[in-house]
């Protein structure tokens, strides 16, 4: 009986965690999709009805999104959707570059065995194949949704693995916070980049950065690894600048509705 009750409690806890996680993903997706506008107040009860879940997962998700910086506490209770200035975006991108540079340097300095690089090399090599198929401007075509989703996954995994190699939970927490800001994550602008002028060259340069970062870590060159990672992050600023200049591209970028574009001047 005790074992059965324990299993029941464990299953219940697992289901609750799963429901909370899905609620968080749904709400974050709605915010980045533009379902809520900057300054709009979010309250638990309307969201309960809209998402079909209980108040507790909603409350936990709202608290988490406020911690990430996508929401702000309202003086009258509840939360309001945060608006981001262009300066916020530039600062987030610069901070991300500093942190990712530190991660690459830590990875080079803390590498103990060459075998630790197996996973990041695998991600690099898979992206190599995908990039090589699209580097010719004369034959470049926008990737289909499945292949692009695969590239997004590989890119996110590559950046995450560099942080894993840094062996710093504090650094990972700091990066998680910064990259929750719209436009600041490593993959935030990849879809827009595919529609920008010189798209194949930009993808090729970006992936050359990936190769150089891995090579510097392999050779235990911490300073070089840090410099390459920071340079890689700086490409995101150029992508943002290009996206901001074209409303049709900007509208396809997650989180664009939260940006006060008028502050750009």
């Amino acid at each position: 009986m005790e074992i059965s009750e324990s299993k029941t409690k464990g299953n219940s806890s697992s289901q609750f965690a799963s429901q909370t996680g899905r609620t968080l993903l749904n709400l974050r997706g709605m915010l980045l999709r533009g379902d809520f506008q900057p300054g709009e107040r979010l309250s638990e009860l309307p969201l309960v009805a809209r998402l079909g879940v209980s108040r507790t997962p909603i409350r936990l998700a709202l608290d988490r999104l406020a911690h990430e910086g996508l929401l702000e506490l309202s003086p009258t209770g509840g939360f309001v959707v945060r608006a981001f200035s262009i300066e916020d975006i530039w600062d987030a991108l610069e901070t991300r570059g500093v942190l990712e540079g530190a991660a690459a340097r830590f990875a080079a300095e803390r590498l103990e065995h060459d075998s630790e690089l197996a996973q990041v090399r695998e991600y690099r090599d898979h992206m190599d194949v995908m990039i090589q198929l699209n580097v010719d401007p004369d034959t470049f075509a926008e990737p289909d949704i499945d292949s692009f989703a695969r590239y997004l996954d590989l890119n996110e995994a590559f950046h995450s693995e560099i942080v894993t190699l840094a062996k710093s939970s504090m650094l990972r927490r700091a990066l998680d916070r910064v990259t929750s800001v719209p436009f600041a994550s490593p993959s935030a602008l990849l879809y827009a980049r595919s529609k920008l002028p010189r798209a194949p060259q930009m993808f090729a340069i970006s992936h050359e950065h990936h190769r150089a970062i891995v090579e510097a870590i392999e050779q235990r060159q911490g300073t070089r690894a840090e410099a390459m990672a920071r340079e890689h992050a700086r490409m995101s600023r150029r992508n943002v600048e290009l996206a901001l200049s074209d409303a049709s591209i900007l509208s396809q970028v997650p989180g664009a509705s939260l940006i006060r574009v008028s502050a750009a001047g």
Side-chain angles (χ1 to χ4, degrees):
M1 177 64 70
E2 289 180 359
I3 294 176
S4 177
E5 288 177 356
S6 176
K7 286 184 177 180
T8 300
K9 289 179 181 178
N11 289 338
S12 176
S13 175
S14 176
Q15 290 171 0
F16 176 76
S18 177
Q19 185 183 56
T20 301
R22 286 196 302 270
T23 302
L24 174 62
L25 289 174
N26 285 338
L27 274 176
R28 187 189 288 116
M30 293 165 73
L31 283 163
L32 297 179
R33 195 167 57 239
D35 291 3
F36 308 109
Q37 295 304 304
E40 183 174 345
R41 187 172 182 274
L42 299 185
S43 299
E44 292 176 18
L45 287 178
L47 291 172
V48 166
R50 186 166 180 173
L51 297 178
V53 296
S54 64
R55 294 185 66 172
T56 299
I58 294 288
R59 185 181 305 115
L60 292 172
L62 291 173
D63 285 339
R64 174 61 184 272
L65 291 168
H67 178 72
E68 291 180 4
L70 291 173
L71 301 177
E72 295 177 316
L73 284 172
S74 169
T76 58
F79 299 88
V80 295
V81 179
R82 182 180 171 188
F84 294 88
S85 68
I86 297 301
E87 287 74 19
D88 291 331
I89 304 306
W90 298 156
D91 288 351
L93 287 170
E94 182 65 21
T95 303
R96 179 194 132 202
V98 171
L99 293 173
E100 289 193 332
R105 177 167 56 83
F106 285 176
E109 294 172 348
R110 298 175 179 179
L111 187 69
E112 297 177 5
H113 304 287
D114 189 71
S115 60
E116 295 175 57
L117 296 172
Q119 190 66 74
V120 76
R121 286 169 173 158
E122 181 179 338
Y123 297 142
R124 175 202 60 192
D125 293 345
H126 282 309
M127 284 190 286
D128 253 341
V129 173
M130 299 184 78
I131 291 294
Q132 287 169 10
L133 294 175
N134 287 286
V135 294
D136 187 347
D138 296 327
T139 60
F140 179 77
E142 292 180 18
D144 60 53
I145 191 65
D146 290 333
S147 61
F148 192 77
R150 174 61 177 155
Y151 186 86
L152 282 177
D153 288 343
L154 286 168
N155 188 65
E156 289 285 353
F158 177 90
H159 282 264
S160 179
E161 186 62 20
I162 297 295
V163 182
T164 297
L165 290 169
K167 302 172 183 175
S168 172
S169 59
M170 182 174 294
L171 188 58
R172 181 176 291 281
R173 286 195 297 271
L175 266 167
D176 286 345
R177 180 73 179 272
V178 169
T179 55
S180 67
V181 175
F183 291 5
S185 75
S187 293
L189 268 292
L190 287 181
Y191 183 71
R193 184 190 294 172
S194 70
K195 298 179 177 298
L196 293 170
R198 299 180 65 248
Q201 295 94 327
M202 292 172 70
F203 272 102
I205 291 170
S206 178
H207 192 55
E208 183 59 36
H209 290 166
H210 289 161
R211 289 193 289 265
I213 291 167
V214 174
E215 181 182 280
I217 294 172
E218 287 173 337
Q219 297 179 8
R220 276 67 165 181
Q221 297 173 336
T223 301
R224 179 182 170 218
E226 179 174 20
M228 288 308 309
R230 293 191 67 169
E231 179 63 26
H232 184 62
R234 288 191 189 101
M235 281 194 70
S236 295
R237 173 160 182 149
R238 181 57 178 156
N239 292 337
V240 172
E241 290 171 341
L242 290 170
L244 289 170
S245 69
D246 190 326
S248 64
I249 295 175
L250 183 64
S251 66
Q252 299 179 61
V253 177
S257 65
L258 303 179
I259 308 299
R260 292 196 299 264
V261 178
S262 59

